[in-house]
Amino acid sequence: MRYFIILGIAFLCCTPTYAQQSSDEPTITGVGLRFATDFNYFHRAKDLDLVDNWWSSGVFGVFYRWYTPKRGVELGLNVNYKNGINRGFKLPVIMNDFDNGGPQHVGMTALELDLKVGPRFGGFHPKIGYIMGYRVFRDGFLEAASEMNINRLYVQLPFGASMSLPTGFGSVGFGAYYELDVTNVMQNDGSVIRGGIFMGGRQHAINLEIIVTYDTFR
């Protein structure tokens, strides 16, 4: 994981230098909507108390973006939602437990602060950044016999890219990211000896999104 972090820091440091190069592309500012789904899984679930099948959650967000000719910044807020066993509605594929009809019923409602940066190649935008989330509701993360608790806070590092296509009002596009979790899913119950390292699992995800943006050009 440290290699991903080092790569991300180098990417962030190099982007401003690259952005100083001249370009005919206009500067773009805009406000957009994000419609996405996260395909989630728990790293090392079979060794821990976490359920071991993939599950998906729906993501709806708003964001502000600012693109100079060679780089861009996006800052947004997301709601990340999946119904539990007796809670809310369910959209096929977008909000689903991929356990072949088994007993897994993960439920989550989370609020996320989403920051992404990266270079700009016309309508193609490679990005990295941070997703800082808070689980307002969480259920079904653990195997039935587990007595562990689930952390509310989490931090993920997204790595990916988006493509924007121009329209009369701005742009529409799509994107794909791998979201690398760097925080424990489970809380440390105090059973780890002093000086030991607690392994509480990671909630990694593959994110697929559709974005609609109202842009202004300068």
Side-chain angles (χ1 to χ4, degrees), residues 1-153:
M1 183 180 68
R2 65 178 181 272
Y3 299 110
F4 284 98
I5 297 174
I6 292 171
L7 178 62
I9 293 172
F11 189 81
L12 286 170
C13 292
C14 293
T15 297
T17 302
Y18 179 76
Q20 294 173 4
Q21 301 176 17
S22 61
S23 173
D24 294 332
E25 295 284 351
T27 295
I28 300 174
T29 60
V31 176
L33 298 176
R34 173 179 291 112
F35 306 92
T37 184
D38 281 349
F39 293 93
N40 307 274
Y41 71 97
F42 295 120
H43 178 58
R44 293 188 59 188
K46 292 183 182 294
D47 300 327
L48 303 169
D49 288 348
L50 297 162
V51 294
D52 58 5
N53 292 291
W54 287 71
W55 54 279
S56 59
S57 55
V59 181
F60 174 77
V62 296
F63 62 89
Y64 173 81
R65 73 176 187 175
W66 174 67
Y67 287 128
T68 66
K70 288 296 182 179
R71 64 175 174 175
V73 177
E74 290 184 4
L75 179 63
L77 294 173
N78 303 325
V79 176
N80 194 325
Y81 174 80
K82 182 188 179 300
N83 62 307
I85 185 171
N86 293 314
R87 186 173 183 268
F89 62 94
K90 178 178 180 180
L91 294 175
V93 181
I94 295 174
M95 302 174 187
N96 196 50
D97 290 282
F98 300 98
D99 61 345
N100 296 320
Q104 179 175 305
H105 297 284
V106 176
M108 184 182 76
T109 302
L111 303 177
E112 298 177 340
L113 178 64
D114 189 331
L115 172 66
K116 296 187 180 81
V117 300
R120 176 186 175 196
F121 303 97
F124 180 65
H125 311 126
K127 301 171 197 169
I128 61 170
Y130 295 97
I131 296 174
M132 291 163 280
Y134 180 81
R135 299 181 180 101
V136 179
F137 171 80
R138 65 267 196 252
D139 187 36
F141 283 43
L142 301 167
E143 298 289 354
S146 177
E147 297 181 356
M148 301 294 288
N149 293 311
I150 300 299
N151 282 317
R152 289 189 180 272
L153 294 173

